């Protein structure tokens, strides 16, 4: 999962990799040495120590379960021996290896061996580049294709759509006009040397679909664009802070005026957009602190005056219109965090004031305007990490941890996109010792991984329907003193089973038909891999090497289609220097039968016991999947596609969220007005009008497709009243006051006033009849981009595009934004 954080003026806007959730990254990095303690410290928020967050659970001490083990037969062992391939990278002194899968189903892996440029400033050599065309069974040194150039580890290997690859060389800024990149369009078979007209400040960004479109930010804050995969570059704008591709060829970026000092800290940035690849620009909003783009939503934070806390604005139409989100404002000591999002809705965390380590989670409507309280006391630790996880193997399922009032961390799960949360069920094969206390499964997340309690967080894949594998403990709360074990769910998190004792690295292969795991011990060596063909009910063990080595990581091709996995690590050579080792095990010859129709069964999602009339109905539909039987030992294959049938359901209360200003009552599940607003109207000033929200307290969950059944008593509606608008000041000129003293003058004045009053009444009545009443169920007042166009004739200067086309928009200069 990728994390991106924008920290501006002490107020934090976090974008938590939501775009990357649910998809395994194409690039992984392994370190030859153990990660030192400074790594975690550099990520910590100042003033927040999370070392004491975990409380020891006194009621439960290592509840035991039996892990099913099946021995390999000699014939099976021989098959795996014949399909295990070990590669030793002799003489390679790199402290990091960066593995990148190129293309889909190509079998190509690029491995870059390098060092950390920040730590080894005075140690420069050449990076090693290796290439495999057989899914990691063998590697060839192709360093000569990049002239044995040193490649920056922090930039790694950038892969884009198709078979495109970019490597960024580490070139000193002094005495060099620009940096150097190596590009490949054939999955690394050949590389092209390109001298850049600038030095990169961060890795080059691909367009989502067109690999020829590249955007880069230089160290002097200039934004550059290439339309031919890096061969030629044109400067788009000066003084750019951050940028992001939107839908189509929309490109958003923030910048500051040329005369601004620390503009990002004062909220004086401009948010701009180009829709024609830099030919023209338009300003969407001014005085912003930060912005981001996720799913179909553009969002940015604004401080409307120097004494006010910042507020969030969202747009679902690429910035043409935008509205203020109905959310609690954040002070300079708080932050917003976008946890996840798609084209239908957003999950957003609002930090509590002070060093509380928790906040409130909200979910949005389909426009990103109305936000509804989803979960209180949501854990968000001092390292800017949340345990929030999208379980991608089943629609609507999310998992996270909360910090309860007793100071204990407990896991909760939602099966309807944040509408309701509940604790996880106790695993079926685990008995709790203390029958008087609550006994549930609690899952370790990013907070635990950051504190090195577990090596991996929960794993799920869209192609492995219902399958979840995660580290956890069983008891009253999450325990750090209790060794974490591995648990598996086959129904999307409703029911769990203990499957492996102790911490492991694990991976899902063959669309869920094969699980693999390697047990990890601190500073220990490994030689054994475990695998299961029945979703973790039973495991077999295979010794893949006669010479154990220090474990660095487990790597498999993204997408779960592969049947091979690579174990990476290092062992000392004869001269005492560590040598990188990769062992690739191919299971296809062991599981050699392809699945047929008899190997599959129909399975209704969300059909766990105890759901009553709601059995199978989630988000308004029932879904029946065709998936592999646990007892079938066969191969799904690379052509396997998930198939399902859908049917609509009647609506219930669970198909609705609690509207703004309401919360779900614990005992009745009804949405009731928050006590703080019980005797108040819910008002907000949008588009020059004050809106009083009259609502039943319910709003249908975004993407919910139910029909009939439960319907809220009153339809949500909005009564619009004029909002106090300050008139624009007139010209600063000396104006003489005119007096009307004579009766004739007064009569004329009265007639004029009466006539004007009649005209105003007629116009007002017509306007009132013409106004479309705003209904929050269907539409919310929005700011129109055309009415907020900023006139900046003398504020900024736009550089000319190298093609000779000049833009009428403005370029700006800004200080650096902290973007992680």
């Amino acid at each position: 999962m990728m994390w991106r954080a924008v920290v501006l003026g002490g107020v934090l806007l976090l974008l938590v990799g939501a775009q990357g959730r649910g998809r395994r990254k194409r690039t992984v990095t392994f370190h030859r040495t153990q990660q030192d303690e400074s790594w975690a410290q550099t990520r910590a928020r100042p003033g927040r120590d999370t070392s004491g967050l975990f409380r020891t659970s006194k009621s439960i001490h290592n509840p035991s379960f039996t892990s099913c083990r099946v021995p390999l037969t000699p014939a099976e062992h021989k098959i795996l021996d014949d399909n295990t391939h070990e590669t030793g990278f002799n003489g390679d002194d790199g402290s990091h290896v960066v593995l990148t899968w190129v293309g889909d189903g190509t079998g190509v892996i690029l491995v870059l061996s390098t060092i950390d440029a920040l730590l080894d400033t005075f140690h420069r050599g050449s990076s090693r580049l290796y290439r495999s065309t057989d899914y990691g069974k063998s590697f060839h040194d192709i360093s000569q294709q990049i002239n044995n150039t040193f490649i920056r580890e922090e930039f790694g290997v950038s892969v884009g759509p198709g078979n495109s690859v970019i490597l960024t060389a580490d070139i000193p800024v002094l005495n060099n006009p620009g940096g150097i990149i190596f590009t490949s369009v054939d999955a690394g078979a050949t590389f092209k040397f390109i001298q850049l007209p600038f030095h990169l400040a961060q890795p080059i960004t691909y367009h989502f679909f067109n690999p020829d479109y590249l955007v880069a930010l230089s160290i002097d804050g200039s934004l550059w664009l290439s339309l031919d995969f890096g061969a030629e570059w044109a400067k788009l704008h000066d003084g750019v802070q951050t940028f992001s591709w939107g839908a189509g060829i929309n490109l958003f970026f923030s910048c500051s005026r040329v005369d601004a000092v620390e503009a990002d800290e004062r909220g004086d940035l401009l948010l701009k957009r180009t829709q024609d690849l830099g030919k023209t620009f338009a300003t969407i909003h001014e005085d912003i602190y930060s912005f981001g783009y996720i799913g179909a939503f553009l969002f940015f934070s604004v401080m409307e005056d120097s004494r006010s806390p910042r507020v969030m604005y969202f747009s679902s139409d690429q910035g043409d219109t935008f509205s203020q989100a109905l959310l609690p404002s954040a002070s300079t000591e708080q932050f917003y965090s976008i946890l996840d999002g798609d084209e239908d809705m957003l999950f957003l965390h609002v930090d509590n004031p002070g060093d509380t380590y928790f906040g409130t989670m909200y979910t949005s409507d389909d426009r990103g305007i109305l936000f509804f309280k989803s979960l209180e006391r949501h854990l968000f630790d001092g390292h800017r990490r949340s345990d929030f996880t999208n379980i991608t193997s089943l629609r609507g399922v999310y998992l996270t941890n909360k910090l309860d009032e007793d100071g204990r961390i407990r896991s909760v799960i939602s099966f309807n996109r944040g509408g309701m949360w509940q604790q996880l069920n106790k695993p079926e094969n685990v008995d709790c010792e203390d029958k008087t206390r609550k006994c549930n499964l609690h899952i370790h997340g990013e907070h635990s991984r950051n504190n090195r309690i577990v090596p991996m967080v929960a794993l799920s894949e869209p192609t492995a329907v219902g399958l979840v594998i995660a580290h956890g403990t069983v008891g009253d709360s999450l325990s750090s003193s209790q060794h974490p074990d591995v648990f598996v769910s086959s129904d999307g998190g409703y029911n769990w089973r203990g499957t492996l004792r102790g911490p492991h690295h694990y991976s899902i292969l063959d669309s869920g038909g094969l699980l693999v795991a390697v047990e990890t011990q601190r500073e220990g060596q490994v030689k054994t891999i475990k695998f299961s063909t029945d979703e973790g009910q039973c495991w077999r063990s295979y010794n893949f090497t006669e010479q154990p080595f220090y474990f660095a990581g487990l790597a498999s091709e993204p997408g779960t289609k592969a049947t091979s996995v690579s174990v990476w690590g290092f062992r000392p050579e004869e001269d005492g220097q560590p040598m990188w080792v990769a062992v690739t095990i191919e299971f296809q010859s062991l599981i050699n039968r392809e699945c047929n129709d008899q190997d599959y069964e129909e399975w209704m999602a969300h059909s766990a016991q105890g759901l009553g009339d709601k059995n199978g109905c989630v988000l308004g539909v029932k879904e029946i999947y065709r998936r592999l039987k646990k007892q079938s030992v066969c191969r799904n294959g690379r052509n396997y596609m998930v198939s399902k049938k859908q049917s609509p359901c009647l609506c219930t209360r669970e198909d609705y969220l609690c509207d703004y200003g309401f919360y779900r009552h614990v005992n009745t599940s009804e949405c009731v007005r928050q006590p703080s607003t019980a005797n108040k109207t819910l008002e907000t000033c949008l588009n020059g009008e004050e809106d009083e929200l009259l609502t039943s307290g319910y709003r249908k969950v975004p993407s919910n497709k139910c029909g009939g059944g439960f319907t809220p008593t009153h339809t949500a509606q909005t009564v619009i009243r004029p909002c106090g608008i300050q008139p624009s000041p007139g010209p600063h000129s000396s104006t003489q006051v005119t007096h009307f003293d004579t009766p004739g003058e007064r009569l004329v004045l009265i007639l004029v006033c009466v006539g004007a009053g009649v005209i105003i009444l007629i116009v007002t009545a017509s306007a009132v009849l013409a106004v479309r009443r705003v209904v929050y169920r269907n539409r919310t007042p929005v700011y129109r981009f055309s009415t907020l166009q900023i006139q900046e004739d003398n504020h900024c200067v736009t550089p000319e595009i190298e093609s000779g086309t000049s833009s009428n928009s403005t370029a700006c200069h800004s200080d650096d934004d902290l973007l992680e």
Side-chain angles (χ1 to χ4, degrees):
M1 173 196 66
M2 298 180 67
W3 288 67
R4 288 192 287 165
V6 182
V7 185
L8 298 163
V11 180
L12 179 67
L13 172 62
L14 277 173
L15 173 57
V16 185
Q19 300 177 50
R21 288 185 184 271
R23 295 177 300 160
R24 203 179 312 172
K25 294 188 297 184
R26 287 187 173 274
T27 299
V28 294
T29 301
F30 297 139
H31 303 268
R32 193 180 62 197
T33 56
Q34 293 292 327
Q35 296 174 340
D36 54 42
E37 296 300 322
S38 63
W39 178 80
Q41 295 172 5
T42 58
R43 307 280 305 182
R45 277 182 76 191
R48 288 198 177 188
D49 178 19
T50 59
S51 58
L53 262 182
F54 278 112
R55 302 289 185 89
T56 302
S57 178
K58 296 181 180 180
S59 60
I60 300 295
H61 296 283
N62 290 321
S64 60
F65 62 85
T66 302
S67 181
C68 174
R69 301 291 182 89
V70 177
L72 281 177
T73 66
E76 291 172 333
H77 204 288
K78 176 65 165 57
I79 292 174
L80 288 177
D81 283 344
D82 292 341
N83 290 274
T84 298
H85 310 271
E86 181 171 322
T87 301
F89 298 85
N90 297 300
D92 192 321
D93 60 352
S95 60
H96 304 73
V97 289
V98 182
L99 276 71
T100 301
W101 283 265
V102 185
D104 294 322
T106 62
V108 175
I109 304 174
L110 292 180
V111 175
L112 175 68
S113 173
T114 185
I115 60 176
D116 190 330
L118 297 177
L119 298 178
D120 299 282
T121 305
F122 300 103
H123 181 269
R124 285 291 188 273
S126 60
S127 300
R128 295 281 190 92
L129 184 64
Y130 306 93
R131 186 171 185 259
S132 172
T133 57
D134 53 11
Y135 297 96
K137 297 175 184 176
S138 61
F139 289 89
H140 303 281
D141 191 336
I142 60 170
S143 305
Q144 72 281 357
Q145 293 207 29
I146 58 171
N147 302 326
N148 297 298
T149 306
F150 181 78
I151 303 299
R152 300 181 63 169
E153 184 271 334
E154 64 270 29
F155 282 21
V157 182
S158 299
V159 291
N163 297 326
S164 57
V165 181
I166 298 176
L167 302 176
T168 303
D170 184 46
I171 301 297
V173 175
L174 296 177
N175 303 320
N176 285 285
I180 292 174
I181 61 173
F182 297 89
T183 62
S184 174
V185 295
D186 53 12
T190 60
F191 281 90
K192 178 182 178 181
F193 172 94
I194 295 177
Q195 175 77 56
L196 299 175
F198 55 89
H199 288 278
L200 285 165
Q202 61 190 52
I204 292 173
T205 300
Y206 286 90
H207 185 267
F208 296 125
F209 306 110
N210 191 334
D212 289 335
Y213 293 175
L214 306 176
V215 180
L217 188 63
S218 64
I219 59 175
D220 62 357
S222 297
L223 189 65
W224 295 77
L225 174 69
S226 174
L227 302 179
D228 53 9
F229 195 47
E232 300 290 338
W233 291 85
K235 183 191 288 189
L236 296 186
H237 225 284
D238 288 322
V240 172
Q241 292 280 330
T242 57
F243 66 89
S244 175
W245 284 108
I249 57 173
N250 283 290
L251 179 63
F252 302 98
F253 60 91
S254 62
C255 65
S256 62
R257 297 178 176 88
V258 293
D259 58 348
V261 178
E262 297 182 347
D264 55 334
E265 295 185 5
R266 299 201 323 260
D268 199 24
L269 294 172
L270 302 177
L271 177 59
K272 293 192 171 186
R273 175 188 68 189
T274 175
Q275 297 180 294
D276 49 17
L277 300 174
K279 294 178 182 177
T280 60
F281 299 87
T283 300
I284 294 176
H285 204 283
E286 61 178 1
D287 300 328
I288 74 161
Y289 274 77
S290 57
F291 86 95
Y293 186 87
I294 183 172
F297 295 98
L298 171 71
F299 56 91
F300 51 93
S301 62
V302 175
M303 183 174 286
E304 296 180 335
D305 63 65
S306 59
R307 295 166 297 180
S308 301
R310 71 180 56 201
V311 294
M312 293 285 291
Y313 289 83
F314 286 84
S315 171
S316 57
D317 56 9
Q318 303 298 301
D320 288 336
T321 62
F322 51 90
S323 296
Q324 179 180 330
L326 297 183
L327 274 168
S329 58
S331 70
T332 55
E333 299 301 322
Q334 297 172 267
F335 62 84
Y336 295 112
S337 172
I338 306 294
L339 300 171
D340 196 15
D342 55 24
E343 65 277 3
D344 292 322
M345 66 177 291
L346 293 168
F347 284 87
L348 187 141
H349 172 100
V350 180
D351 186 40
N352 266 35
D355 294 334
T356 58
Y357 310 109
F358 66 85
T360 303
M361 185 194 302
Y362 293 84
T363 55
S364 77
D365 64 358
D366 53 0
R367 299 149 302 172
I369 300 170
L370 290 178
F371 279 79
F372 318 100
K373 185 181 292 186
S374 176
L375 179 67
E376 293 183 317
R377 303 190 68 87
H378 179 234
L379 178 67
F380 212 112
D381 72 12
H383 298 283
R384 301 177 189 165
R385 294 182 183 275
S386 166
D387 291 342
F388 183 86
T389 303
N390 179 6
I391 303 301
T392 60
S393 60
L394 196 61
R395 186 176 62 97
V397 183
Y398 291 84
L399 176 70
T400 194
N401 284 321
K402 57 184 296 191
L403 182 63
D404 283 331
E405 293 182 359
D406 60 1
R408 298 183 184 276
I409 298 175
R410 294 182 173 91
S411 296
V412 289
I413 192 168
S414 174
F415 297 104
N416 61 347
R417 302 201 79 179
M420 294 183 65
W421 295 86
Q422 64 189 59
Q423 287 194 307
L424 281 70
N425 291 327
K426 178 186 72 68
E428 58 189 36
N429 61 336
V430 176
D431 292 325
C432 294
E433 297 176 1
D434 191 342
K435 305 297 184 181
T436 64
R437 297 177 66 91
K438 290 184 178 180
C439 182
N440 299 91
L441 175 64
H442 302 278
I443 300 298
H444 287 282
E446 283 287 345
H447 177 70
S448 297
R449 186 165 71 125
N450 186 59
N451 286 281
R452 297 182 176 81
I453 297 172
V454 296
M456 291 188 67
V457 296
L459 179 64
S460 60
E461 294 285 352
T463 55
V465 176
L467 185 62
V468 191
I469 181 167
H471 287 97
T473 59
V474 178
D476 176 59
S477 61
L478 198 61
S479 171
S480 61
S481 61
Q482 181 179 328
H483 265 215
D485 295 321
V486 179
F487 298 86
V488 168
S489 174
S490 297
D491 56 8
Y494 284 97
N495 297 290
W496 295 82
R497 180 181 180 85
T499 185
L500 291 172
R501 301 287 291 179
H504 286 69
H505 281 257
Y506 38 73
S507 186
I508 299 174
L509 305 178
D510 192 36
S511 301
L514 178 64
L515 301 182
V516 295
V518 174
E519 187 172 4
T520 56
Q521 299 177 355
R522 190 177 296 274
E523 299 183 357
Q525 299 188 53
V526 299
K527 66 175 182 179
T528 303
I529 191 169
K530 304 171 186 177
F531 65 96
S532 171
T533 58
D534 55 10
E535 297 185 356
Q537 290 189 337
C538 289
W539 294 84
R540 301 182 182 189
S541 296
Y542 167 63
N543 293 333
F544 55 80
T545 182
E546 296 179 355
Q547 295 179 282
F549 54 78
Y550 292 96
F551 180 75
L554 198 63
S556 59
E557 182 187 17
T560 75
K561 296 290 187 179
T563 54
S564 62
V565 65
S566 296
V567 184
W568 280 79
F570 55 92
R571 68 164 67 101
E573 292 187 279
E574 294 180 359
D575 59 359
Q577 295 297 317
M579 176 184 69
W580 281 107
V581 178
V583 178
T584 298
I585 306 108
E586 174 59 74
F587 291 90
Q588 181 171 330
S589 296
L590 182 67
I591 310 172
N592 56 8
R593 184 177 68 86
E594 294 214 2
C595 300
N596 54 43
D597 290 340
Q598 285 70 39
D599 293 305
Y600 295 95
E601 63 182 354
E602 287 192 341
W603 175 74
M604 181 183 292
H606 301 283
S607 58
Q609 293 181 356
L611 296 181
D613 295 337
K614 193 68 177 177
N615 191 24
C617 280
V618 168
L619 297 175
V621 294
K622 285 187 178 182
E623 293 178 320
I624 298 178
Y625 288 89
R626 177 178 178 265
R627 69 175 189 174
L628 191 65
K629 298 176 182 177
K630 290 185 179 66
Q631 64 270 23
S632 294
V633 182
C634 59
R635 213 170 56 244
N636 282 313
R638 288 189 170 273
N639 296 326
Y640 172 78
M641 299 291 291
V642 175
S643 62
K644 64 181 178 180
K645 296 181 289 187
Q646 288 187 336
S647 57
C649 301
L650 294 176
C651 295
T652 68
R653 293 184 190 273
E654 285 71 30
D655 294 306
Y656 289 82
L657 296 169
C658 292
D659 215 335
Y660 183 78
F662 290 76
Y663 72 97
R664 195 176 296 274
H665 194 279
V666 176
N667 297 326
T668 65
S669 76
E670 294 183 358
C671 292
V672 296
R673 182 73 74 85
Q674 294 179 11
S676 59
T677 60
N679 298 316
K680 301 177 183 178
T681 57
L682 302 175
E683 297 174 356
T684 181
C685 189
L686 293 176
N687 205 25
E689 295 172 329
E690 188 175 90
D691 302 338
E692 181 181 4
L693 178 63
L694 304 179
T695 173
S696 62
Y698 294 89
R699 186 175 183 83
K700 187 176 285 188
V701 174
S703 73
N704 192 294
K705 301 176 182 178
C706 71
F710 171 77
T711 302
T713 306
H714 304 289
T715 302
Q717 58 184 329
T718 300
V719 177
I720 302 176
R721 298 197 304 268
C723 186
I725 301 175
Q726 296 295 327
S728 301
H732 295 287
S733 58
S734 169
T735 304
Q736 187 177 12
V737 179
T738 303
H739 299 277
F740 299 89
D741 295 325
T742 68
E745 290 174 336
R746 291 174 180 172
L747 179 60
V748 172
L749 177 61
I750 292 172
L751 291 176
V752 170
C753 292
V754 171
V758 172
I759 294 173
I760 290 173
L761 288 175
I762 294 173
V763 171
T764 302
S766 301
V768 169
L769 293 175
V771 168
R772 294 175 60 188
R773 297 178 62 86
V774 181
V775 179
Y776 268 86
R777 182 178 305 276
N778 301 316
R779 188 173 181 272
T780 293
V782 295
Y783 294 105
R784 289 289 166 187
F785 168 74
S786 59
T787 65
L788 291 177
Q789 194 74 31
I790 309 299
Q791 300 298 326
E792 305 169 285
D793 295 336
N794 300 316
H795 288 301
C796 309
V797 178
T798 301
E800 242 182 44
I801 306 300
E802 289 187 0
S803 63
T805 304
S806 110
S807 169
N808 295 325
S809 155
T810 55
C812 312
H813 176 74
S814 71
D815 299 322
D816 288 335
D817 197 3
L818 177 57
L819 179 65
E820 298 180 353

